[in-house]
Amino acid sequence: MRSFAFLKSIAGRVVLIGKPLVVDLDGTLIHSDMLHESALRVFRDSPFETLRIPFLLLKGKACLKQHLASRAEFTPKTLPYNEELLEWLKQQREEGRYLVLCTASDKSIADRIAEHLGIFDEVIASDGVSNIAGEHKAAALVQRFQQHGYDYAGNSSTDLPVWSQAHKAIVVNGSNDLVKKAQDIATVERVFPKREIGFSAWRRMLRIHQWLKNLLLLVPLFAAHDVSNGEAWLSLLLAFIAFSLCASSVYIANDLLDLDSDRLHPRKRNRPFASGLIPAWIGVLLAPLLLIISLAVAGLVGKHFLFWLLFYFALTCAYSWLLKRLMLVDCLTLAMLYTLRIVSGAAAVGHDLSFWLLAFSVFLFLSLAFVKRYAELELQLLSGKEKIHGRGYHTADAPLIQTMGIVAGYSSVLVLALYLNSDAVLKLYAAPELIWGAVPVMLFWVSWMWMQAHRGKMHDDPLVFAVKDRASLSAGIIFAAILVAGTVGVSW
């Protein structure tokens, strides 16, 4: 009965082609864990449903997996497959090897993945009653193929009992210590090296480059010409740390909840969580830890700043769960999130915000939010897609988004021009007529950003693009020089 797994008929002769090759799924065939991903999808779509997890776990891990799998939709095509292993498996398949996908994940998930790949002859998986992991997986495979009647590819210490009963072991994504343990109990046929998590991965996970946005906290201090206030600088330093940690916490949470959309994006699919480079469970633990530290630091700054930081966090959560899927509302929310940094900076140093600064900020950041969305639409258009996954936009909306963004950008320049004609400028600047030079600089920069977006050169985040773009940096330096000249009364 079992001999069909070992033999193949060639020209009427039965030829021995090797033992069945059994492959694990989580962490082996894919750089992820379907249980963790299912839980995240359920948390994203039905947060209160996750409250049932402890009670389902009491019925057994297999029961929990089946429940989550039934409520979490996923796309097999976009999963972060181990491409090196997958190519090897395809070669084995072409040579006539009998391939088995054996996983602790629920069978409904395993069946869909096996169907998508089209290389597996059989699927063995958890079924809501039996959790096919560790000793249970070893027993199931021995019953199916007899002791030492199969080769097995796995990735963790839970696979050691399976390797001990296998003919040969294939270690995938395992540490050097795991390889040694496998060699002690089985013949290791091949090792697929583990991907190392370097500093670059942690930097991209925390989005350290995005911390540059938090320099907006300094705007109220400069706008009030209070740069010599040492106490204010200390408060702003703490505020910067608090905002940066809070932002990283939000970025991690957003990436975990947006895995499907990120994997459909040509650049975002390489993010640490989307690519499976950093396990999702690390993000689940790290996000709340960073938030707690952030709030503790914010408390040192003051209750008003803490209030605005909490409001920022609440709005970002609303954006991640719902608002980013609503057309136009998403861009308005992004503009508010940028502006909230300026409001929080004012709260940190105890300064009042002027109507002019708030109006200028809202229009400018709304324009940048439209730049971001327009760039995504253009990218999707080049990919031949009609809609952005997880968003309310169609690629046909790109021209309208471009128009609204340009109008918002020029509106910010108009607000700046009106401000320069107000009494406040006469009080703050020694040579207010020099400040008028800021208007053409802003007109150039807004136009330049939209020109780059139109040419398909825009980054996913306009501010990140700006700090790397020579023209934008030059415009920023000239803008700052004009403000300094107007402040000290330097003549041309």
Side-chain angles (χ1 to χ4, degrees):
M1 182 69 178
R2 297 186 180 92
S3 60
F4 75 91
F6 303 80
L7 306 175
K8 181 179 181 181
S9 177
I10 300 178
R13 296 183 300 110
V14 176
V15 181
L16 182 66
I17 61 172
K19 297 183 182 296
L21 176 56
V22 182
V23 185
D24 180 41
L25 174 64
D26 302 310
T28 303
L29 183 60
I30 61 173
H31 294 295
S32 186
D33 188 298
M34 292 307 297
L35 173 60
H36 299 160
E37 292 206 10
S38 297
L40 286 170
R41 289 186 180 92
V42 170
F43 180 67
R44 178 194 63 196
D45 300 333
S46 306
F48 293 108
E49 184 72 18
T50 56
L51 297 176
R52 297 184 59 189
I53 289 179
F55 302 100
L56 291 168
L57 196 56
L58 293 175
K59 298 181 181 179
K61 205 169 182 179
C63 178
L64 172 63
K65 291 176 180 179
Q66 187 178 64
H67 175 81
L68 294 177
S70 67
R71 285 161 174 76
E73 185 60 35
F74 75 101
T75 306
K77 180 181 178 180
T78 62
L79 291 175
Y81 292 98
N82 186 326
E83 294 298 338
E84 184 182 0
L85 174 64
L86 189 56
E87 285 302 313
W88 182 69
L89 292 176
K90 289 178 180 178
Q91 293 174 7
Q92 297 295 304
R93 170 72 172 178
E94 290 174 0
E95 294 172 5
R97 194 83 177 269
Y98 189 83
L99 300 186
V100 181
L101 180 61
C102 185
T103 174
S105 289
D106 189 72
K107 197 171 188 304
S108 62
I109 291 175
D111 284 340
R112 288 191 59 190
I113 293 174
E115 181 181 2
H116 165 69
L117 294 176
I119 62 173
F120 292 102
D121 299 285
E122 186 177 348
V123 174
I124 301 174
S126 299
D127 58 3
V129 178
S130 300
N131 185 42
I132 306 300
E135 297 285 355
H136 295 288
K137 180 181 287 189
L141 291 176
V142 168
Q143 182 180 9
R144 179 69 182 86
F145 301 112
Q146 298 182 340
Q147 190 176 31
H148 306 308
Y150 62 91
D151 296 338
Y152 179 73
N155 73 296
S156 70
S157 58
T158 57
D159 293 314
L160 291 173
V162 188
W163 280 323
S164 68
Q165 302 297 321
H167 174 245
K168 289 184 180 179
I170 297 96
V171 183
V172 184
N173 290 332
S175 62
N176 293 332
D177 183 59
L178 180 65
V179 173
K180 292 178 181 178
K181 290 181 179 179
Q183 289 173 338
D184 291 339
I185 59 175
T187 301
V188 176
E189 177 183 358
R190 183 163 180 172
V191 175
F192 290 86
K194 182 179 181 179
R195 297 190 301 175
E196 296 298 329
I197 306 176
F199 173 75
S200 176
W202 294 108
R203 173 183 59 79
R204 288 185 292 128
M205 180 191 69
L206 295 172
R207 309 272 188 90
I208 292 179
H209 63 280
Q210 299 282 10
W211 292 3
L212 290 171
K213 296 178 183 177
N214 298 327
L215 292 176
L216 292 171
L217 291 162
L218 306 178
V219 170
L221 191 68
F222 282 93
H225 294 193
D226 194 24
V227 293
S228 61
N229 189 334
E231 185 178 349
W233 278 103
L234 177 60
S235 295
L236 286 173
L237 175 61
L238 294 175
F240 179 85
I241 294 172
F243 240 89
S244 297
L245 295 179
C246 180
S248 290
S249 173
V250 171
Y251 286 132
I252 290 172
N254 187 65
D255 285 352
L256 291 173
L257 297 175
D258 219 18
L259 289 175
D260 297 323
S261 296
D262 284 353
R263 287 169 179 166
L264 290 171
H265 194 281
R267 288 191 293 266
K268 294 180 181 180
R269 65 185 180 187
N270 295 319
R271 286 177 173 176
F273 293 121
S275 65
L277 181 59
I278 296 181
W281 66 265
I282 290 181
V284 172
L285 294 179
L286 191 58
L289 177 62
L290 291 175
L291 179 61
I292 292 172
I293 297 174
S294 169
L295 296 179
V297 174
L300 299 176
V301 178
K303 61 181 181 179
H304 295 297
F305 173 77
L306 178 60
F307 168 80
W308 286 114
L309 181 64
L310 285 171
F311 184 72
Y312 167 84
F313 176 73
L315 187 59
T316 51
C317 288
Y319 176 80
S320 296
W321 260 292
L322 174 63
L323 300 182
K324 69 181 178 183
R325 297 177 176 83
L326 303 180
M327 182 177 58
L328 300 181
V329 174
D330 62 332
C331 292
L332 289 168
T333 304
L334 287 174
M336 289 181 62
L337 290 173
Y338 281 120
T339 305
L340 275 174
R341 289 174 166 89
I342 296 177
V343 174
S344 300
V349 296
H351 288 323
D352 294 327
L353 282 174
S354 69
F355 163 80
W356 297 108
L357 180 57
L358 284 176
F360 172 76
S361 301
V362 169
F363 281 117
L364 178 61
F365 295 134
L366 180 59
S367 180
L368 295 180
F370 280 130
V371 165
K372 175 182 174 70
R373 200 61 72 226
Y374 174 79
E376 291 180 351
L377 286 169
E378 286 294 293
L379 190 61
Q380 296 299 317
L381 183 62
L382 292 175
S383 302
K385 298 178 181 178
E386 296 183 357
K387 189 176 181 181
I388 300 181
H389 185 271
R391 301 291 191 271
Y393 298 93
H394 297 271
T395 50
D397 297 329
L400 183 58
I401 294 296
Q402 182 183 42
T403 301
M404 291 188 293
I406 293 173
V407 170
Y410 285 165
S411 296
S412 70
V413 180
L414 178 60
V415 171
L416 176 62
L418 293 174
Y419 164 71
L420 295 179
N421 196 43
S422 67
D423 294 336
V425 173
L426 298 176
K427 297 177 182 178
L428 288 173
Y429 296 95
E433 65 278 2
L434 297 180
I435 307 299
W436 272 97
V439 174
V441 174
M442 282 300 303
L443 279 172
F444 164 80
W445 185 68
V446 170
S447 303
W448 174 262
M449 292 291 283
W450 275 103
M451 184 66 74
Q452 299 310 300
H454 180 70
R455 293 180 176 180
K457 298 181 179 180
M458 183 56 59
H459 187 273
D460 293 331
D461 193 304
L463 286 186
V464 174
F465 171 85
V467 298
K468 297 179 180 180
D469 176 55
R470 290 184 179 180
S472 298
L473 291 174
S474 299
I477 293 172
I478 294 173
F479 187 88
I482 290 173
L483 294 182
V484 171
T487 302
V488 300
V490 175
S491 60
W492 300 103

